[in-house]
Amino acid sequence: MLKSYVSECCEHAANLQLYLSQTLNNESYAKVAAALADAGLEVIAADEVVGGWKLAIYGQGSSGKFLSKQFRQLSEEIGIDIAFVEANPIPSLEAPGILFMDMDSTLIQCECIDEIADFLGIKKDIAAITQQAMEGKLDFSESLIARVKLLAGLDESVLKRVYDERIRLTKGAENLIESVHLAGWKVGLVSGGFTYFTGLLQARLNLDFVAANTLEIVNGKLTGRVLGSIVDAQMKKELLKQQSEVWDIDLQASVALGDGANDLPMLETAGVGIAFHAKPKVRELAPYALSDGGLDQALHLLTPVESEKI
């Protein structure tokens, strides 16, 4: 069905590509086709990928980021990711780049502080504050200080139990990291969570850079305090810019992934900023949004359409 999109005659080369996370049913097909026509976009080639499609597109006057936001409402309506990038994307796996990720609910499937709180029987209370912070309804730093304070007196051995028993990598995480590493990229993990977990994940996944918050521990017990500066939204953004300079890789050759409001400045600063299975406000405001499938779906935005496949 999707191959019927392809124009039989086009005088122009593709200057955009479109990623669709699923094969479309008849109703969704009609809506996407109409939206493409209304936007003056012409499909030149279709390339089937795992779970979905990539289309080579010709259109005038609109960037991939602009079109991705323009099609965001349709994407939400039909429940399929719709993302436009340039035909020869930057960042690209053909050149050095940077992948920066949030940890909680992005690289891993839980919020570590909520799981720690479960050992005190206060997970529900902590999780409610976490949710509000991730939705941007509370100041992140203030909410983190308040939540950590409630953990005072907990034995530090609980941190290992949380890692061993509760932390699971998000689907596609290892494939994404291995793929960009093979392409010569650097990978960073920046988290409003805790260094105990980022350190273990760095060793496990061979990450090039990690930054997170340090829980104060005295005599084997959490004191309820955070040491040093808090890794908040502004800090994540600045760390991306800093590492871009350290690694001598252009900031536009970077991809950032996150799910919460404290990730938005980082997402807006990266060459490609992706709200991954994110909160509604973050999906609305981020340059790109992927809510269907695993982390490795981001790879589809970094490789060109194989335009000979029509």
Side-chain angles (χ1 to χ4, degrees), residues 29-62:
Y29 171 84
K31 289 179 178 179
V32 171
L36 290 170
D38 288 345
L41 301 174
E42 187 172 4
V43 179
I44 299 171
D47 181 18
E48 192 168 9
V49 297
V50 177
W53 287 81
K54 288 167 68 176
L55 310 175
I57 302 277
Y58 171 74
Q60 290 185 320
S62 295

Side-chain angles (χ1 to χ4, degrees), residues 237-282:
K237 170 185 172 180
E238 293 305 318
L239 287 170
L240 174 58
K241 293 167 66 175
Q242 171 189 298
Q243 290 306 122
S244 170
E245 294 180 4
V246 169
W247 291 325
D248 193 23
I249 298 174
D250 194 294
L251 191 58
Q252 289 307 301
S254 64
V255 173
L257 288 140
D259 73 298
N262 63 323
D263 295 310
L264 273 171
M266 177 178 72
L267 302 186
E268 292 164 349
T269 300
V272 170
I274 302 170
F276 178 75
H277 290 258
K279 311 303 182 284
K281 178 183 177 181
V282 184

Side-chain angles (χ1 to χ4, degrees), residues 21-22 33 35 37 47 74 115 138 152-153 238 241-242 262 271 273 299:
S21 64
Q22 295 181 29
D47 181 18
L74 176 59
E115 301 306 320
L138 295 175
E238 293 305 318
K241 293 167 66 175
Q242 171 189 298
N262 63 323
L299 294 170

Side-chain angles (χ1 to χ4, degrees), residues 4 26 39 50 83 98 109 114 178 194 197 217 239 258 269:
S4 65
N26 289 337
V50 177
I98 298 169
Q109 298 177 40
D114 297 353
E178 289 172 3
F194 307 117
F197 303 107
I217 299 172
L239 287 170
T269 300

Side-chain angles (χ1 to χ4, degrees), residues 66-123:
F66 175 84
L67 287 168
S68 294
K69 283 198 170 184
Q70 182 179 326
F71 277 66
R72 188 71 44 78
Q73 183 175 346
L74 176 59
S75 173
E76 297 274 347
E77 179 184 335
I78 64 177
I80 293 173
D81 294 334
I82 300 175
F84 292 85
V85 294
E86 277 51 55
N88 294 303
I90 298 175
S92 164
L93 294 183
E94 298 300 313
I98 298 169
L99 172 65
F100 250 45
M101 291 180 290
D102 171 49
M103 180 173 68
D104 298 70
S105 298
T106 301
L107 178 63
I108 62 175
Q109 298 177 40
C110 68
E111 296 284 336
C112 290
I113 193 167
D114 297 353
E115 301 306 320
I116 296 170
D118 198 24
F119 287 86
L120 284 171
I122 56 171
K123 179 176 180 177

Side-chain angles (χ1 to χ4, degrees), residues 120-134:
L120 284 171
I122 56 171
K123 179 176 180 177
K124 184 177 180 180
D125 298 328
I126 293 279
I129 301 173
T130 302
Q131 180 72 13
Q132 288 183 298
M134 291 303 98

